[in-house]
Amino acid sequence: MELRIDRQALVPVVQQIVDALTGWIRQDAVQPGTRLPSVRQLARQNLLSQSSVNEACERLVAQGLLASRHGSSFFVAPSPVPGVVSTDPSRQQDTLAGAGETPQWALQLGCGGLPESWRESDDLGYAIRQVTRTDMAGLFNYSTPLGLPALREQLSRRLKHFNIEADKDSILTTAGATQGLDLIVRTLLQPGACVIVESPGYSNLFDLLRLHKIEMLELPRTPRGPDVDVLQDLLAKHRPSALFVNSACHNPTGTSLAPAVAQRLLQLTKQHAVLVIEDDAYGDFQNSARTRLAALDADVVYVGSFSKTLSSSLRVGFVVAAPSIIARLSEVKGITSMGVSRFCESVLANLLANGAYRKLVQRQRQRLGVDTAALLQVLEDADWEVFGKPTGGLFIWAKPPISDYAGLQRLARRFGVLLSSPTAFSPSGADSDWLRINVAYARDPRALVFFRAATLDRPQVS
Amino acid sequence: MELRIDRQALVPVVQQIVDALTGWIRQDAVQPGTRLPSVRQLARQNLLSQSSVNEACERLVAQGLLASRHGSSFFVAPSPVPGVVSTDPSRQQDTLAGAGETPQWALQLGCGGLPESWRESDDLGYAIRQVTRTDMAGLFNYSTPLGLPALREQLSRRLKHFNIEADKDSILTTAGATQGLDLIVRTLLQPGACVIVESPGYSNLFDLLRLHKIEMLELPRTPRGPDVDVLQDLLAKHRPSALFVNSACHNPTGTSLAPAVAQRLLQLTKQHAVLVIEDDAYGDFQNSARTRLAALDADVVYVGSFSKTLSSSLRVGFVVAAPSIIARLSEVKGITSMGVSRFCESVLANLLANGAYRKLVQRQRQRLGVDTAALLQVLEDADWEVFGKPTGGLFIWAKPPISDYAGLQRLARRFGVLLSSPTAFSPSGADSDWLRINVAYARDPRALVFFRAATLDRPQVS
C-alpha cells in the first residue's frame, strides 16, 4: 500500500499517515474487517519508521476508524462513521488527540480550542531555541515552588492591563489553569462542602468538583453575567463556601460580566464570606479590558492560562491570590508535583518579555472579531437564536431552529460536522437546546452548509 | 558596580550575575545592611536587562545573601552565611533554585540530584529542535489521557530490560514521578488509611502522605531491602492498605533489594492483600538488571522517572499498573491536569527511540561506578562507617566518626560543605547519625578535606 508521504510538507509525517489511511478507508469504501498490511510492511514499503506507522494506527483506533487485535495487527473498524463526541477538550482527548488532529471529514464545530491552522510556531520556536541554547538551568533544573521569578515578573506586568495588581508573591505558576483549579479545590475546600457554579458552565470544573465530593449549586448565566437575584437566593438558603465564575469570554456562552453585575456579585459574596474563584482561561481573547472581579477585589482568587492562545502543550498557567493563600497552594503544589516544567516557564517568560505573546493575541483577537461578526450574520440569516452577542473570545452560544438534537446531529454528521454535546455544559448533566459554536471553525464551508440546512430542514423535523 | 559578564560563556547570564554579586559580598566582606545600586542602575552599567538583574537578586534573597525592601531595593542580608538547608530536592527549592545553582562557596554534599556539570545538553537540544521543527501537534496540542502513544511504546520496550512486561494500556505518563505518586495516593488510598514506608526513606513521600492524612508505619531498611521480619510483624498487628518501597538505588541508602527479600516481601504482602508501590525514580542508575518487584508480580504498581538522569525540568515520569488501575489513575489525571506536556513527552520519546537516552545513562552509570569506588576508599581511610555497599546510583549512607551533628555541621560549613539534614529521611522526623552522601559531589576537594577533618576532629568532639 503506497501512502504518498511528502517529507517536505509542514504536516507531520504521522498526521500524513493518518490522513492517507483515512482517505483509503473512506474514499475506497473499504469493507469493515479488512486487514491492514502489517506495521512493519507499511513502514518498509513507504520508508517510514515503524513507530510512526504504529502511532498513526493507534490514533485511528482512538478515532474508531481502525480496530486492533492483540495490539499488533489492525483492521478496518465495523462502522467507519464514529458517533458524535463530546467537544470539551478533556473529553475530546479520549477520541481525538487534539483539536488539530480531527480527521479531515469531521469539523469540530463545538470544540474548546483554536484549530491548528490558527496556531503560530515562529515566535514559539524561536523562544524554545533561545532557552535550549542559553539557559542550562531551564533545560535541566527543577523550578522554584512559586514558579520562575522571571515569569512571575512578566505576569505581574501583564496583569496590570487587566487592572489587576499582583506582585510576585501573589502569583503562583501552575501546570495549566487545570492544576490551578485542582490546587484551589484540594487546598481551600473540604469534601462535602457546597459551592456555586455557573450553568451553563465548564464541564471539566464540574468533574473536578465531583471528584472532590463537593456539591454544586447551579447559578444561571445571563448575557450580562451570573444571575445575581438567583445568587442572592442561593446565598440565603445554603451555606456555600465558594463561587466559580468566568468573567470574560464565558465558556460556553462567550458573554462577559457587566460592571454593575460584578459590583453586586462582590457585594453579595462579601456579605456571606464566600470565596470567589475567577477562571479567566479565555480572557486573553477579550477585545478590550473588560471587568475582572480580581481587579475590583483583592480577595478574589484568579486563574489564568496560555493553553487557549499560545499552546496547550506547554502546560503553563497561573493563580493570583493573597500571599497567605498562595503560600498554602505553593506548598501543596511542591509536594504533589515538584513544580511546573522550568523549561516551559522559561519559554513563556521569553515570549512575554519580548512582546511576541502580546502581538500574537492581538492578531488572534482581530481575526476572531472579524469571524464573529460574519458568523452572527450567518446565524441571523439562518434563523438561529443567539444567547448574547459575544464581546470577544471563541464561542457563540446559539439555539438552532430545530429543537430535536438527535435529528440535528444526524444532519450535522451528513455534512461532516461534529456538534457540542447537549449535556456537557450543565452541572447536573441536563439536556439543552443550545449549542456551543466555536467561531474559529465556523467559516468552514461544511459549517455554512450545515447552518443553512438546519433551517431548511425545520418543517420536516418540528 | 562592574559585574564582568561574559556573553560568550556557557554559564547563563543570570547565574553570572548571581556569582558576581556573591563574590562581591563574600570576598569584599561587605557590611550587612549595605545597599546595592538599584536594579535599573546595575542593568544600565552592565548592559543587562533589568529582569536578569532582578532575577539574580531574587535568587540571592532566596539564598539568604540579600534582603529586599518593598520588593524593589536590595541590601546585604544580616548574616552572609546561611544555615544548613535540607538537601531533599523538594525542600531545597525554597532556598536554592536547583542543584546546579548552588552558590560557588557551598557544596551540596547530600543533594538528591546530579550536579549541572554532569548534565548533557547535546542530544536533548537536538531532540527539542526536532520536535519544534517537525511536530506541530507536539508544539500545540494537549496530549492524550494515557500519554503520547509513541512514548508509551518506547517505555514498554525499555521496561523489558528490567523484565517488566507492560503493554501500552498498562502505562500512564505523569508529570514526573511526583504526579504519579500523588495520583496513586489520591486515587487508590483513603484519608485515615495506614501505609508502610521505609525508614530511612524519601521525605517528599512522607509529606505527600501527611497531606492526604494517611498514617505511616515505619519499616526499617536493611542493606538487603526492607526488614521482612518487621514487615511480618507490622502486617500482623495493623491493617495497612499499602507498602511503598525503593527496590533499586534506595533513597537515601543507595542499597538494592536482594532477590530472597523480594520473594518474601511479595509473599507477605500478597497474603495480607496489601498494595505494593515500587518507586524506581533512581532505577536507571543501576549497574545491571537487579530485582524489581514489578518484574515478579504484575499487581505491583511501579513508578518511573527521568528527572534524575535526563532532566528535572521536563517533568515526565510514568506509572505501570494493571489496566484497571491505570484507567482510574488516567481519569483523575485528566480531570486534575489535562495531561502531561505533549512537547516534553515528544522530546523524551525522541531520545528513547534514537538510543540517546540509553547511551546517556550508560555514561552516567560508568562515571558513578568509578566515583563510588573512590568514595568508598576515602570513607574507609577516614574511618566513616558505610551502611551497605551501593550497587549503583547516587547515594552512600554513611556514619561519620563524630556523632555530634551540630559540631559536624560547623566543621562542614568551615569547608563550604552543606550536609543532608539529620531528620529529613525519617517518617517521624527522628534524629539520625547517618548522612546521605551524593557520590557525584564527593570528589570535590572541599568534600575530601571535610571527610578527613571529621576524622581528625574526633578526639576533641567525642
Side-chain angles (χ1 to χ4, degrees):
Chain A
M1 185 190 292
E2 200 198 327
L3 297 176
R4 296 205 195 103
I5 302 303
D6 175 4
R7 269 155 236 280
Q8 306 306 314
L10 284 174
V11 180
V13 167
V14 172
Q15 186 58 40
Q16 290 189 51
I17 306 171
V18 168
D19 293 343
L21 290 174
T22 307
W24 171 67
I25 295 166
R26 298 186 58 83
Q27 281 154 33
D28 299 3
V30 180
Q31 282 298 311
T34 305
R35 190 175 173 146
L36 244 68
S38 76
V39 168
R40 181 191 294 251
Q41 265 181 304
L42 277 173
R44 200 174 287 170
Q45 282 172 8
N46 295 280
L47 299 174
L48 294 163
S49 75
Q50 287 189 38
S51 76
S52 299
V53 174
N54 196 62
E55 193 186 337
C57 291
E58 289 290 346
R59 288 195 197 166
L60 290 166
V61 169
Q63 291 168 13
L65 279 178
L66 290 183
S68 83
R69 278 193 195 117
H70 317 302
S72 60
S73 69
F74 296 94
F75 57 94
V76 177
S79 159
V81 179
V84 170
V85 296
S86 160
T87 52
D88 233 68
S90 60
R91 288 146 193 253
Q92 250 167 48
Q93 291 180 27
D94 289 306
T95 42
L96 300 164
E101 291 178 11
T102 317
Q104 283 178 344
W105 47 268
L107 180 77
Q108 285 193 282
L109 190 57
C111 168
L114 285 176
E116 208 172 88
S117 60
W118 280 56
R119 300 284 204 177
E120 300 184 21
S121 63
D122 285 1
D123 291 330
L124 179 56
Y126 176 78
I128 288 172
R129 284 192 297 276
Q130 277 288 104
V131 173
T132 308
R133 266 209 314 268
T134 64
D135 182 359
M136 290 289 276
L139 263 186
F140 292 117
N141 292 1
Y142 292 106
S143 186
T144 51
L146 289 182
L148 200 67
L151 174 57
R152 286 182 290 124
E153 174 73 36
Q154 291 297 330
L155 291 172
S156 170
R157 284 188 202 166
R158 196 173 158 69
L159 285 163
K160 289 200 173 69
H161 296 292
F162 294 149
N163 297 315
I164 298 173
E165 283 297 329
D167 63 19
K168 284 160 63 184
D169 292 340
S170 313
I171 301 176
L172 179 77
T173 68
T174 54
T178 310
Q179 191 196 21
L181 289 169
D182 182 44
L183 287 172
I184 290 164
V185 171
R186 74 194 293 183
T187 309
L188 306 180
L189 302 177
Q190 297 294 327
C194 108
V195 302
I196 301 177
V197 294
E198 295 186 277
S199 178
Y202 176 41
S203 63
N204 197 63
L205 172 65
F206 306 151
D207 289 339
L208 180 69
L209 291 166
R210 272 189 286 267
L211 179 72
H212 284 90
K213 301 189 173 58
I214 288 167
E215 202 190 317
M216 289 177 268
L217 302 170
E218 298 196 28
L219 176 60
R221 176 85 185 193
T222 78
R224 293 162 47 80
D227 186 324
V228 276
D229 293 329
V230 176
L231 174 61
Q232 184 165 24
D233 209 41
L234 289 174
L235 291 170
K237 286 189 190 144
H238 305 268
R239 298 180 62 85
S241 1
L243 162 65
F244 289 83
V245 65
N246 273 169
S247 301
C249 310
H250 172 252
N251 179 11
T253 70
T255 59
S256 292
L257 206 57
V261 174
Q263 295 287 0
R264 177 106 188 277
L265 184 149
L266 288 172
Q267 232 169 22
L268 288 168
T269 51
K270 209 91 194 164
Q271 198 181 318
H272 289 81
V274 167
L275 182 71
V276 176
I277 295 120
E278 181 173 37
D279 173 3
D280 206 23
Y282 291 90
D284 280 344
F285 287 133
Q286 187 65 265
N287 284 313
S288 59
R290 295 267 166 170
T291 305
R292 295 295 193 294
L293 295 170
L296 301 173
D297 183 343
D299 288 336
V300 169
V301 177
Y302 178 91
V303 180
S305 170
F306 296 90
S307 295
K308 302 303 173 187
T309 48
L310 178 69
S311 161
S312 310
S313 174
L314 294 185
R315 314 305 306 124
V316 186
F318 61 97
V319 174
V320 178
S324 60
I325 289 185
I326 290 295
R328 288 171 64 193
L329 299 180
S330 163
E331 194 190 349
V332 177
K333 172 189 164 190
I335 293 172
T336 60
S337 77
M338 288 279 174
V340 173
S341 162
R342 183 176 181 136
F343 183 81
C344 296
E345 286 184 335
S346 291
V347 167
L348 183 57
N350 197 301
L351 289 163
L352 288 171
N354 68 17
Y357 180 75
R358 190 174 44 76
K359 289 177 202 149
L360 170 73
V361 295
Q362 274 174 354
R363 287 191 295 273
Q364 289 175 335
R365 283 175 192 162
Q366 193 169 23
R367 196 168 164 189
L368 283 171
V370 172
D371 285 6
T372 300
L375 175 57
L376 286 170
Q377 189 58 54
V378 167
L379 291 175
E380 191 185 321
D381 292 348
D383 281 338
W384 286 54
E385 189 181 341
V386 168
F387 179 77
K389 207 178 146 186
T391 53
L394 284 187
F395 306 129
I396 289 182
W397 188 237
K399 196 159 109 176
I402 298 174
S403 64
D404 157 40
Y405 183 81
L408 197 72
Q409 189 182 22
R410 276 195 302 276
L411 188 68
R413 259 199 256 176
R414 210 184 299 155
F415 297 106
V417 169
L418 297 181
L419 302 180
S420 66
S421 146
T423 57
F425 307 106
S426 159
S428 57
D431 259 319
S432 164
D433 289 338
W434 295 80
L435 294 176
R436 182 174 78 176
I437 313 281
N438 185 319
V439 172
Y441 287 82
R443 295 198 95 165
D444 186 287
R446 288 166 291 182
L448 298 175
V449 173
F450 163 67
F451 291 133
R452 204 165 313 132
T455 311
L456 298 174
D457 265 23
R458 185 161 35 159
Q460 290 103 310
V461 175
S462 61
Chain B
M1 185 189 293
E2 200 197 327
L3 297 175
R4 297 208 194 101
I5 301 303
D6 175 4
R7 268 153 236 283
Q8 306 307 313
L10 282 174
V11 181
V13 167
V14 172
Q15 186 58 40
Q16 290 189 51
I17 305 170
V18 167
D19 293 343
L21 290 174
T22 305
W24 170 68
I25 295 166
R26 298 184 59 82
Q27 283 153 31
D28 300 3
V30 180
Q31 283 298 312
T34 306
R35 190 175 173 146
L36 245 69
S38 77
V39 168
R40 182 191 293 253
Q41 265 180 303
L42 277 172
R44 202 175 285 169
Q45 283 172 7
N46 295 282
L47 300 175
L48 293 163
S49 75
Q50 287 189 36
S51 76
S52 297
V53 176
N54 197 63
E55 193 185 336
C57 292
E58 289 289 346
R59 288 195 198 166
L60 289 165
V61 170
Q63 291 168 14
L65 280 177
L66 290 182
S68 84
R69 279 196 194 114
H70 317 302
S72 58
S73 69
F74 297 94
F75 58 95
V76 176
S79 160
V81 178
V84 170
V85 297
S86 160
T87 52
D88 234 68
S90 60
R91 286 144 195 253
Q92 249 168 49
Q93 293 180 26
D94 289 306
T95 41
L96 300 165
E101 292 178 10
T102 317
Q104 281 177 345
W105 47 268
L107 179 77
Q108 285 194 281
L109 188 59
C111 167
L114 284 175
E116 208 172 89
S117 60
W118 280 55
R119 301 284 204 177
E120 301 185 21
S121 63
D122 284 1
D123 290 331
L124 179 56
Y126 176 78
I128 288 172
R129 285 192 297 276
Q130 276 288 102
V131 173
T132 308
R133 266 210 314 268
T134 63
D135 182 359
M136 290 287 278
L139 263 187
F140 293 117
N141 293 0
Y142 291 106
S143 186
T144 51
L146 288 182
L148 200 67
L151 174 57
R152 285 183 290 124
E153 174 74 37
Q154 291 297 331
L155 291 172
S156 169
R157 285 190 202 164
R158 198 174 156 68
L159 286 163
K160 289 198 173 70
H161 297 292
F162 293 149
N163 296 316
I164 298 173
E165 283 296 329
D167 63 18
K168 284 160 60 185
D169 293 340
S170 312
I171 302 176
L172 179 76
T173 69
T174 54
T178 310
Q179 191 196 22
L181 289 169
D182 182 44
L183 287 172
I184 289 165
V185 171
R186 75 195 293 184
T187 308
L188 306 180
L189 302 177
Q190 298 294 326
C194 110
V195 302
I196 301 175
V197 294
E198 293 185 278
S199 178
Y202 175 42
S203 64
N204 196 64
L205 173 65
F206 307 151
D207 289 340
L208 181 69
L209 291 167
R210 273 190 284 268
L211 179 73
H212 285 91
K213 302 187 171 59
I214 288 168
E215 202 191 318
M216 288 178 269
L217 302 171
E218 297 196 29
L219 176 59
R221 176 86 185 192
T222 80
R224 292 164 47 79
D227 186 323
V228 276
D229 293 329
V230 177
L231 175 62
Q232 185 166 23
D233 208 42
L234 288 174
L235 291 170
K237 286 189 190 144
H238 304 269
R239 299 178 62 84
S241 3
L243 162 64
F244 289 84
V245 66
N246 273 170
S247 301
C249 309
H250 173 251
N251 179 12
T253 70
T255 59
S256 292
L257 205 57
V261 174
Q263 295 286 359
R264 177 108 188 276
L265 185 150
L266 288 172
Q267 233 169 22
L268 287 167
T269 50
K270 208 91 194 165
Q271 198 181 317
H272 289 80
V274 166
L275 183 72
V276 176
I277 295 120
E278 180 173 38
D279 173 4
D280 206 23
Y282 291 90
D284 280 345
F285 287 132
Q286 187 64 266
N287 284 311
S288 59
R290 293 266 164 173
T291 305
R292 295 297 192 292
L293 295 169
L296 302 173
D297 183 343
D299 288 336
V300 169
V301 177
Y302 177 92
V303 181
S305 170
F306 295 89
S307 295
K308 302 303 172 188
T309 48
L310 179 68
S311 162
S312 309
S313 173
L314 294 185
R315 313 306 305 123
V316 187
F318 60 98
V319 174
V320 178
S324 59
I325 289 184
I326 290 295
R328 287 170 66 193
L329 299 179
S330 162
E331 194 189 348
V332 177
K333 172 189 165 190
I335 293 172
T336 59
S337 77
M338 288 278 175
V340 174
S341 162
R342 183 177 182 134
F343 183 81
C344 296
E345 287 185 333
S346 291
V347 167
L348 182 57
N350 198 301
L351 289 163
L352 289 172
N354 67 18
Y357 181 76
R358 190 174 42 79
K359 289 177 204 150
L360 169 73
V361 294
Q362 272 173 356
R363 287 190 295 274
Q364 290 175 336
R365 283 175 194 162
Q366 194 168 22
R367 198 169 163 187
L368 284 171
V370 172
D371 285 6
T372 300
L375 175 58
L376 286 170
Q377 189 59 54
V378 168
L379 292 176
E380 193 184 322
D381 292 349
D383 280 338
W384 286 53
E385 188 181 341
V386 169
F387 179 77
K389 206 178 146 186
T391 53
L394 284 187
F395 307 130
I396 288 182
W397 188 236
K399 197 161 109 177
I402 299 175
S403 64
D404 157 39
Y405 183 82
L408 197 72
Q409 189 182 24
R410 276 195 303 276
L411 187 69
R413 259 197 257 179
R414 210 185 298 155
F415 297 106
V417 169
L418 296 181
L419 302 180
S420 65
S421 147
T423 58
F425 308 106
S426 159
S428 57
D431 258 320
S432 165
D433 289 338
W434 295 80
L435 294 176
R436 182 174 77 176
I437 313 279
N438 185 320
V439 173
Y441 287 82
R443 296 199 93 166
D444 187 286
R446 288 166 291 181
L448 298 174
V449 173
F450 162 68
F451 291 132
R452 204 164 313 132
T455 310
L456 297 174
D457 266 24
R458 188 161 31 161
Q460 291 102 312
V461 174
S462 61

